């Protein structure tokens, strides 16, 4: 199962990277006479309302979707990790301050916050990423803090402290590797969330702007002709569901794979 | 070397009577003690008497509520629970290297780590091939030897043993105690040896300190164990004698 999911994800990533080679047509080339074409040999998934090849647009759409999600995740995890490590390890005043900020952050309805930030800073994909990182880091900070607390009283860390080793060594050589497996699981599970979010915002015309191909944006274009050409929605809709599900399954599999190894020695 | 003056430690109670209660439980009460250079002091007490807490105060892992703590650095420690003493992701080599790194920084020198590790492993009676193993690939006795090597690698003045041999079988205990005696002679170290086992104290220490419910009830030289006056210490001594 995990291998299959990893295969799907890797396949999608590779297709995205080599889009110019894999895609049968130019994703921007319109052919208005050939709009809403059905499945055929030259247009495997048909064409859209401007006669553009849907398959090509799907393949090119991988780039913004996946790249932006990865960027969002990296930003979120990095910020959350630093905050969580600091709060969990140093405790006391630092912990108090960070965790109160986290509490406040987590009390905002997250989707509405994203809209608010995007509305405030203007419709631009950079702002979308910023907004996503901004609402999500607190959640990570809390998870990582909890994990750090689990390890900070382990004897090997007490030993490091006792002999006066540097904080940097303790944080980056002991603590970070100890929580890395949990972090990997979290990140994989959450990749699905990031993809959905980017697509949702593009669907609402707040993210990636047309004519750039993006799955959520394509879904939005297809929505306009939902009654006359419902088939248009299948490709982007299914693709999002499958990719998000693949990340979720992979995350679960990772957790199962990593947990027993931890338990073995505790 | 070590001096504690009127040290008191308390923790917040786990089961409070009120929901947001702030009841505290006194763990160490007015503890004063001292350890001389090159001495081996035993701290004897039943489980829950506050021995480990006292150990944590001595190595600076815990700030006491009141009282003064003077300890000469560097100090090193060997724990009872060897399963969590070493990072499970580290090899033996990395485990010992950590102490070497700290020592390098302290003395501003560069060490030939490979050579040092080889020498240390030999000292604790392990062959060189162990250096690439992970903690779960070692037996309890072997891992505890690695922890001792790590403690010695720091070249400390003092080593604190918190029930370091209590989880080992009787035969290994004697072996390790002999090893510790030898190391102490070789490097002129000061030991603090925490235990609940009187026989290991008599085998190993110069002086013993009886801890009962967070208070030091008696201190005496090993040679004068027969002269203890305190009721609790007497009871402890008698119970061991009766067992034999
Ligand atoms: N971090 C802590 N928080 C609250 N209570 C603690 C903590 N550490 C130890 N205690 C309590 O202190 C008492 C003495 O513990 P300890 O020093 O470990 O005893 P010993 O090592 O002699 O068995 C125990 O009753 C224990 O419950
Ligand atoms: Mg103890």
């Amino acid at each position: 199962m995990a291998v299959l999911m990893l295969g799907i994800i890797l396949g999608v990533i590779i297709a995205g990277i080599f889009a110019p080679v894999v895609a049968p047509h130019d994703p921007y080339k319109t052919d208005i006479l050939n709009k809403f074409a059905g499945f055929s040999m030259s247009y495997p998934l048909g064409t859209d309302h401007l006669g553009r090849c849907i398959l090509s647009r799907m393949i090119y759409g991988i780039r913004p979707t996946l790249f932006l999600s990865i960027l969002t995740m990296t930003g979120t995890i990095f910020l959350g990790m630093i905050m969580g490590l600091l709060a969990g390890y140093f405790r006391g005043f630092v912990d108090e301050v960070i965790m109160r900020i986290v509490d406040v952050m987590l009390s905002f309805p997250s989707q509405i916050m994203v809209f608010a930030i995007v509305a405030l800073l203007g419709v631009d994909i950079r702002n979308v990423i910023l907004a996503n990182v901004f609402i999500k880091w607190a959640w990570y900070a809390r998870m990582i803090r909890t994990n750090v607390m689990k390890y900070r009283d382990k004897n090997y860390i007490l030993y490091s402290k006792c002999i006066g080793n540097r904080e940097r060594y303790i944080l980056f050589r002991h603590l970070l590797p100890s929580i890395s497996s949990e972090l990997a699981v979290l990140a994989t599970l959450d990749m699905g969330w990031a993809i959905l979010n980017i697509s949702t915002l593009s669907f609402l015309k707040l993210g990636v702007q047309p004519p750039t191909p993006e799955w959520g944006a394509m879904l939005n274009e297809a929505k306009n002709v939902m009654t006359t050409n419902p088939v248009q929605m299948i490709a982007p809709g299914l693709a999002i569901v499958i990719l998000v599900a693949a990340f979720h399954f992979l995350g679960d599999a990772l957790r199962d794979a990593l947990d027993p190894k931890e338990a073995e020695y505790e | 070397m070590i001096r504690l003056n009127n040290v008191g430690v308390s923790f917040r109670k786990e089961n409070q009577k009120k929901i947001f209660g702030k009841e505290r439980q006194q763990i160490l009460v007015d503890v004063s003690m001292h350890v001389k250079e090159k001495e081996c002091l035993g701290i004897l007490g039943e489980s829950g008497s506050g021995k480990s807490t006292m150990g944590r105060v001595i190595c600076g892992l815990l700030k006491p509520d009141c009282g003064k703590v003077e300890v000469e650095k560097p100090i090193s420690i060997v724990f009872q629970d060897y399963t969590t003493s070493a990072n499970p992701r580290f090899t033996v080599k990395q485990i010992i290297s950590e102490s070497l790194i700290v020592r390098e920084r302290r003395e501003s020198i560069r060490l030939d780590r490979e050579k040092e590790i080889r020498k240390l492993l030999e000292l604790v009676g392990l062959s060189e091939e162990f250096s690439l193993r992970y903690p779960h690939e070692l037996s309890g006795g072997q891992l505890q030897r690695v922890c001792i090597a790590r403690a010695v690698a720091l070249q400390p003045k003092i080593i604190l043993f918190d029930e370091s041999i209590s989880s080992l079988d009787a035969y290994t205990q004697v072996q390790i105690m002999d090893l510790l005696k030898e190391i102490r002679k070789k490097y002129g170290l000061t030991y603090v040896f925490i235990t609940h086992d009187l026989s290991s104290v008599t085998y190993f220490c110069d002086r013993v300190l009886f801890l009962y419910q967070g208070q030091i009830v008696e201190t005496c030289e090993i040679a004068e164990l027969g002269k203890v006056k305190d009721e609790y210490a007497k009871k402890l001594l008698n119970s061991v004698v009766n067992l034999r």
Side-chain angles (χ1 to χ4, degrees):
Chain A
M1 191 69 173
V3 178
L4 180 69
M5 293 305 144
L6 200 62
I8 292 178
I9 292 169
L10 282 180
V12 170
I13 292 174
I14 290 169
I17 293 172
F18 295 108
V21 185
V22 185
H25 296 275
D26 177 354
Y28 296 105
K29 191 171 146 282
T30 56
D31 180 3
I32 212 79
L33 293 178
N34 193 19
K35 68 176 182 179
F36 300 131
F39 306 148
S40 66
M41 278 308 276
S42 72
Y43 295 103
L45 292 178
T47 59
D48 67 2
H49 62 291
L50 296 175
R52 295 174 295 196
C53 170
I54 291 184
L55 180 64
S56 304
R57 287 182 67 73
M58 289 296 297
I59 292 170
Y60 273 90
I62 294 168
R63 288 177 167 186
T65 309
L66 220 50
F67 173 71
L68 293 174
S69 317
I70 289 172
L71 204 65
T72 311
M73 286 312 295
T74 320
T76 322
I77 289 184
F78 185 74
L79 192 61
M81 192 183 75
I82 300 281
M83 293 302 191
L85 269 180
L86 291 180
Y89 181 71
F90 289 109
R91 305 290 295 275
F93 180 71
V94 182
D95 186 27
E96 237 0 83
V97 172
I98 293 178
M99 287 328 283
R100 291 303 78 78
I101 297 175
V102 165
D103 284 343
V104 172
M105 294 304 306
L106 290 178
S107 331
F108 287 123
S110 58
Q111 282 306 328
I112 296 176
M113 275 299 283
V114 175
F115 295 151
I117 294 171
V118 173
L120 197 73
L121 299 177
V123 177
D124 181 6
I125 194 62
R126 274 171 303 185
N127 295 341
V128 169
I129 292 176
L130 220 63
N132 273 333
V133 172
F134 185 68
I135 57 153
K136 198 71 181 184
W137 73 267
W139 191 78
Y140 271 86
R142 172 167 283 180
M143 297 296 286
I144 288 164
R145 174 176 174 270
T146 312
N147 273 316
V148 169
M149 308 265 266
K150 208 167 74 190
Y151 289 100
R152 67 185 296 274
D153 283 330
K154 291 260 188 249
N155 283 344
Y156 54 87
I157 291 183
L158 291 181
Y159 178 81
S160 288
K161 285 190 187 169
C162 173
I163 65 170
N165 207 346
R166 283 187 186 166
E167 308 285 1
R168 208 175 62 205
Y169 188 99
I170 301 176
L171 285 176
F172 293 107
R173 297 296 306 279
H174 283 316
L175 274 176
L176 204 54
S178 300
I179 60 168
S180 62
S181 55
E182 278 111 336
L183 207 58
V185 173
L186 271 181
T188 317
L189 283 173
D190 241 35
M191 204 44 205
W193 172 85
I195 293 172
L196 270 183
N197 224 308
I198 302 277
S199 298
T200 309
L201 286 164
S202 299
F203 179 80
L204 297 172
K205 298 192 172 170
L206 292 172
V208 179
Q209 297 301 311
T212 314
E214 201 280 341
W215 293 359
M218 288 172 69
L219 206 54
N220 182 42
E221 285 163 3
K223 176 203 70 180
N224 299 333
V225 291
M226 194 166 72
T227 43
T228 49
N229 289 65
V231 191
Q232 291 275 311
M233 300 187 75
I234 291 178
L238 259 185
I240 292 174
V241 170
I242 290 174
L243 191 59
V244 170
F247 272 110
H248 282 173
F249 282 132
L250 185 66
D252 277 339
L254 262 184
R255 173 159 46 206
D256 292 346
L258 291 172
D259 273 358
K261 188 176 131 265
E262 292 287 315
E264 176 188 35
Y265 200 66
E266 266 158 28
Chain B
M1 292 304 274
I2 301 177
R3 183 170 289 279
L4 303 190
N5 279 334
N6 311 96
V7 165
V9 172
S10 62
F11 289 118
R12 212 174 142 267
K13 268 191 187 165
E14 290 290 336
N15 45 349
Q16 298 280 347
K17 291 213 182 74
K18 297 184 195 122
I19 295 181
F20 291 112
K22 287 213 165 58
E23 264 186 279
R24 296 182 78 82
Q25 181 186 12
Q26 197 72 27
I27 305 297
L28 289 182
V29 192
D30 198 26
V31 167
S32 300
M33 56 89 98
H34 69 97
V35 184
K36 292 191 289 271
E37 187 158 3
K38 302 212 168 94
E39 187 182 32
C40 177
L41 176 80
I43 297 178
L44 194 65
E46 57 192 9
S47 99
S49 57
K51 305 183 299 290
S52 297
T53 308
M54 194 162 151
R56 278 162 64 196
V57 169
I58 291 174
C59 24
L61 293 171
L62 189 71
K63 284 242 173 315
D65 301 341
C66 58
K68 220 165 87 195
V69 183
E70 282 170 39
V71 178
E72 245 178 79
K73 302 265 156 156
I75 180 169
S76 198
I77 184 167
V78 181
F79 296 98
Q80 167 175 23
D81 182 11
Y82 46 80
T83 52
T84 65
S85 283
N87 190 336
R89 286 158 207 278
F90 277 17
T91 59
V92 168
K93 196 165 130 187
Q94 288 171 307
I95 293 168
I96 299 177
S97 289
E98 184 178 351
S99 292
L100 293 176
I101 290 168
V102 173
R103 188 177 133 208
E104 280 180 359
R105 200 169 63 241
R106 188 180 76 223
E107 300 176 355
S108 314
I109 48 165
R110 285 254 150 267
L111 291 167
D112 181 356
R113 288 193 200 151
E114 297 279 339
K115 200 175 118 213
E116 290 287 326
I117 289 168
R118 215 177 314 127
K119 271 195 336 208
L120 285 160
L121 284 178
E122 196 192 308
L123 176 75
V124 296
L126 295 176
S127 70
E128 199 187 330
E129 64 186 277
F130 282 93
S131 66
L132 289 178
R133 293 219 203 163
Y134 286 92
H136 66 267
E137 296 168 333
L138 301 175
S139 74
Q142 288 166 342
L143 188 51
Q144 201 58 299
R145 281 168 195 267
V146 171
C147 291
I148 292 168
R150 167 176 80 169
V152 174
L154 187 75
Q155 293 208 342
K157 292 209 173 80
I158 308 167
I159 303 183
L160 189 138
F161 299 90
D162 187 355
E163 311 234 21
S164 304
I165 58 169
S166 305
S167 335
L168 302 171
D169 59 84
Y171 177 65
T172 319
Q173 281 192 2
V174 176
Q175 275 189 328
I176 299 263
M177 277 196 285
D178 288 337
L179 171 67
L180 293 179
K181 273 182 173 175
E182 189 191 311
I183 291 174
R184 180 155 83 106
K185 229 180 0 204
K186 192 165 170 189
Y187 294 96
L189 293 167
T190 308
Y191 280 178
V192 176
F193 193 79
I194 295 175
T195 182
H196 59 250
D197 174 25
L198 182 71
S199 51
S200 59
V201 167
T202 50
Y203 184 71
F204 195 66
C205 299
D206 306 326
R207 199 155 60 91
V208 61
L209 189 151
F210 291 88
L211 199 64
Y212 180 62
Q213 295 189 345
Q215 281 173 302
I216 296 177
V217 290
E218 179 93 40
T219 316
C220 76
E221 301 287 328
I222 288 296
E224 298 169 348
L225 266 185
K227 296 186 194 161
V228 296
K229 288 189 253 357
D230 181 76
E231 282 305 314
Y232 168 71
K234 267 189 199 159
K235 218 172 81 194
L236 211 96
L237 287 175
N238 285 335
S239 67
V240 175
V241 174
N242 288 343
L243 278 178
R244 287 216 174 130

